[in-house]
Amino acid sequence: MVYFGFLTQLLSVQIPLEAVSEEQYNTTMAAATYTLPSLPYAYNALEPSISAQIMELHHSKHHQTYVTNLNKALQSYSAATASGNVPDQIALQAAIKFNGGGHINHSLFWQNLAPSSSPDSKLEAAPKLMAEIKATYDSFDRFKEAFTAALLGIQGSGWGWLVKEELTGLRIVTTKDQDPVVNGEVPIFGVDMWEHAYYLQYLNGKAAYVQNIWNVINWKTAEERFQGTREEAFKVLKSQL
Amino acid sequence: MSSTLMRTVPALRAAARASAAKPAAAAMGTSFVRGKATLPDLPYDYPALEPYISGKIMELHHKKHHQTYVTGLNTALETIEGAKSKGDLTKAASVAPLLNFHGGGHVNHSLFWENLAPASREGGGEPDGALKKAIDEDFGGFDTFRKQMNTALAGIQGSGWAWLVKDKQSGTLGLVTRANQDPVTGNYVPLMGIDAWEHAYYLQYENRKAEYFDAIWNVINWKTVASRFDKS
Ligand SMILES: [Fe+2]
Ligand SMILES: [Fe+2]
């Protein structure tokens, strides 16, 4: 069991990013470089809900690509800022949002999953959140139905999130592609609905993927995020700097 | 199996050519039966595009994914009809996103199957005639066009398509990308499309989508593309 806050801090200090050449690195020291967080469980730990092959590709390839391209975009952005190149700065914003969103979303996602054998994956691990879910959606089953419908209604690639908003309380939101939930709400847990998240195991049967993901939601993490602030939910990203 | 296909394909192809006067409308038209969209047959066998696109991908893509768009389109059309008959225009309008998504999915895939062909037959190579001339003029050559199309495909953030299009007003060729299943409409005639959804390549290429974008050029049916170009 590896907790990635500590590990990634260590990694980012000792190991230069493979995606960044030394030359690039030296000329753009001003830009932050992010690293791929380690998973808090083994690749096969979420079986049979999510296969080890999916987890390995998803983490070591897909998430890594977002991290690599985020770093590239941030380096170009900092060079454009240094040289006062406003058109380039504007042009780079889409890449920063997409790849930064991909990094944020996947980092939150890994943490809000847990092996079904773990007590963290039991509803009892989130007593306060469950009370709020029942108050908002009448019952957990009604919430589950609503969340499932939202996930299956996504047209194309995207994510479904349960979020906490300061004024309105709990809300289910869907986001397209890698748009992150960064508008002030606290992300409690998210589900990746890109085809790469389930295709090797479930093929076109995404409803079965959604049904099975309920077995591996980390309710302990969800409870912590529900009781915490936005900054605390995103803390995992800071530790990867 | 393949010899059977060899015999039936020319007829299918001739039928497709005959009805390709307005490409987008034709794709819809050929697959509507009594006001309902139906799944069009593929003009080749599922494994016919191997090794570039696996038979398993083709089968799932056609039989499951495309079928889901057909079913979704018919459901959306029925909901609109029902709402219309009750005078509930708000309800009818609320179906617009589903109509666009499933209708677009049906149109896009119908065009896509037709602009692919086995490498052992019409697939691959380079266009000739008027289409080649237009590509040379508008892109500076086939290789440049191919590179630009692959760059466009690689740049899609999420699910979507890239298309070679003809501008109806100017007559010039261009490249466009569309998110999700948004169809090519308006001023553009779609000539050739490449599906960049993960379901189009994942079972074979996993995260290595650039390899899929390179491989698919071996199975582009330039005859179909040229015929869409000539008739638009
Ligand atoms: Fe993902
Ligand atoms: Fe597709």
Side-chain angles (χ1 to χ4, degrees), chain B residues 61 109 195 199:
Chain B
H61 202 170
H109 286 92
D195 190 343
H199 66 233

Side-chain angles (χ1 to χ4, degrees), chain A residues 132-146:
Chain A
E132 185 65 19
I133 283 177
K134 279 169 195 155
T136 308
Y137 297 94
D138 293 334
S139 68
F140 179 73
D141 284 346
R142 292 274 305 270
F143 160 72
K144 200 169 146 179
E145 256 168 52

Side-chain angles (χ1 to χ4, degrees), chain B residues 155-231:
Chain B
I156 292 171
Q157 297 180 335
S159 302
W161 292 74
W163 294 92
L164 170 67
V165 297
K166 184 171 168 184
D167 187 307
K168 280 182 204 166
Q169 255 91 57
S170 66
T172 53
L173 300 179
L175 284 175
V176 297
T177 58
R178 289 287 179 272
N180 302 326
Q181 295 298 354
D182 290 352
V184 174
T185 55
N187 208 28
Y188 294 134
V189 180
L191 303 181
M192 189 268 277
I194 295 179
D195 190 343
W197 281 59
E198 290 175 320
H199 66 233
Y201 61 84
Y202 209 84
L203 291 180
Q204 187 176 356
Y205 296 95
E206 298 173 344
N207 62 301
R208 305 177 310 277
K209 61 180 175 179
E211 288 178 24
Y212 159 68
F213 297 146
D214 277 340
I216 201 164
W217 294 92
N218 294 296
V219 290
I220 297 295
N221 187 336
W222 290 109
K223 267 190 197 160
T224 296
V225 183
S227 127
R228 288 176 187 163
F229 174 75
D230 293 340
K231 283 167 183 163

Side-chain angles (χ1 to χ4, degrees), chain A residues 62 155 157 177 195-196 199, chain B residues 65 157-159 180 198-199 202:
Chain A
H62 289 277
Q155 297 180 341
S157 302
D177 303 328
E195 289 174 321
H196 66 233
Y199 209 84
Chain B
H65 290 276
Q157 297 180 335
S159 302
N180 302 326
E198 290 175 320
H199 66 233
Y202 209 84

Side-chain angles (χ1 to χ4, degrees), chain A residues 2-217:
Chain A
V2 177
Y3 291 96
F4 56 66
F6 170 72
L7 184 71
T8 52
Q9 254 171 343
L10 202 71
L11 279 175
S12 62
V13 172
Q14 296 185 337
I15 305 170
L17 276 173
E18 51 189 334
V20 182
S21 74
E22 204 165 318
E23 192 187 338
Q24 274 177 314
Y25 190 78
N26 290 337
T27 54
T28 56
M29 286 293 283
T33 45
Y34 291 85
T35 54
L36 182 68
S38 306
L39 285 191
Y41 36 74
Y43 284 134
N44 64 3
L46 304 185
E47 290 192 340
S49 290
I50 307 176
S51 74
Q53 190 193 9
I54 288 179
M55 289 302 294
E56 181 163 3
L57 280 164
H58 203 170
H59 176 257
S60 72
K61 303 291 181 183
H62 289 277
H63 190 168
Q64 179 62 64
T65 302
Y66 293 117
V67 170
T68 302
N69 291 335
L70 171 63
N71 287 329
K72 276 187 199 160
L74 289 173
Q75 277 147 14
S76 305
Y77 190 86
S78 104
T81 308
S83 62
N85 187 334
V86 175
D88 273 11
Q89 287 175 57
I90 293 167
L92 281 161
Q93 279 168 15
I96 293 171
K97 184 178 183 187
F98 180 67
N99 294 295
H103 178 43
I104 291 173
N105 290 335
H106 287 93
S107 298
L108 293 170
F109 181 53
W110 308 136
Q111 283 212 323
N112 69 222
L113 297 178
S116 61
S117 57
S118 156
D120 298 354
S121 69
K122 305 292 173 273
L123 300 183
E124 294 72 41
K128 294 220 164 63
L129 174 59
M130 281 307 144
E132 185 65 19
I133 283 177
K134 279 169 195 155
T136 308
Y137 297 94
D138 293 334
S139 68
F140 179 73
D141 284 346
R142 292 274 305 270
F143 160 72
K144 200 169 146 179
E145 256 168 52
F147 198 92
T148 298
L151 292 175
L152 296 179
I154 293 171
Q155 297 180 341
S157 302
W159 291 74
W161 293 92
L162 175 65
V163 299
K164 180 183 76 174
E165 289 182 336
E166 196 147 341
L167 295 175
T168 53
L170 292 181
R171 203 154 70 86
I172 296 164
V173 297
T174 59
T175 53
K176 69 172 180 61
D177 303 328
Q178 294 297 356
D179 289 358
V181 278
V182 289
N183 299 312
E185 60 276 67
V186 181
I188 292 171
F189 72 90
V191 176
D192 190 344
M193 288 305 290
W194 282 58
E195 289 174 321
H196 66 233
Y198 60 83
Y199 209 84
L200 291 180
Q201 185 178 355
Y202 294 94
L203 307 174
N204 62 303
K206 63 179 172 180
Y209 160 67
V210 170
Q211 198 185 331
N212 288 343
I213 200 133
W214 292 104
N215 299 327
V216 291
I217 296 296

Side-chain angles (χ1 to χ4, degrees), chain B:
Chain B
M1 186 105 195
S2 63
S3 65
T4 313
L5 260 167
M6 289 301 278
R7 285 197 299 277
T8 57
V9 161
L12 279 169
R13 209 141 272 302
R17 266 198 296 274
S19 63
K22 288 176 199 154
M28 294 281 280
T30 51
S31 55
F32 266 103
V33 177
R34 293 187 297 277
K36 274 202 147 197
T38 55
L39 184 67
D41 289 334
L42 283 192
Y44 36 76
D45 207 359
Y46 287 132
L49 305 186
E50 289 185 350
Y52 308 106
I53 305 177
S54 75
K56 188 167 184 203
I57 288 180
M58 288 303 295
E59 182 167 358
L60 281 161
H61 202 170
H62 176 255
K63 229 199 277 190
K64 303 289 182 181
H65 290 276
H66 190 167
Q67 180 62 60
T68 302
Y69 295 118
V70 169
T71 307
L73 170 58
N74 286 327
T75 306
L77 290 170
E78 278 161 29
T79 310
I80 290 170
E81 269 314 304
K84 210 172 89 183
S85 68
K86 288 184 202 130
D88 189 348
L89 295 182
T90 308
K91 165 98 184 188
S94 74
V95 185
L98 285 169
L99 183 64
N100 181 66
F101 183 66
H102 293 289
H106 178 43
V107 171
N108 291 338
H109 286 92
S110 298
L111 290 167
F112 181 54
W113 309 135
E114 296 278 336
N115 68 222
L116 298 178
S120 59
R121 295 213 308 268
E122 302 93 333
E126 295 184 19
D128 50 22
L131 178 60
K132 175 191 160 47
K133 198 165 160 267
I135 287 176
D136 287 346
E137 273 168 20
D138 297 332
F139 294 97
F142 181 75
D143 285 344
T144 316
F145 155 68
R146 196 176 124 144
K147 267 188 207 127
Q148 286 185 16
M149 183 106 176
N150 278 1
T151 303
L153 285 161
I156 292 171
Q157 297 180 335
S159 302
W161 292 74
W163 294 92
L164 170 67
V165 297
K166 184 171 168 184
D167 187 307
K168 280 182 204 166
Q169 255 91 57
S170 66
T172 53
L173 300 179
L175 284 175
V176 297
T177 58
R178 289 287 179 272
N180 302 326
Q181 295 298 354
D182 290 352
V184 174
T185 55
N187 208 28
Y188 294 134
V189 180
L191 303 181
M192 189 268 277
I194 295 179
D195 190 343
W197 281 59
E198 290 175 320
H199 66 233
Y201 61 84
Y202 209 84
L203 291 180
Q204 187 176 356
Y205 296 95
E206 298 173 344
N207 62 301
R208 305 177 310 277
K209 61 180 175 179
E211 288 178 24
Y212 159 68
F213 297 146
D214 277 340
I216 201 164
W217 294 92
N218 294 296
V219 290
I220 297 295
N221 187 336
W222 290 109
K223 267 190 197 160
T224 296
V225 183
S227 127
R228 288 176 187 163
F229 174 75
D230 293 340
K231 283 167 183 163
S232 60

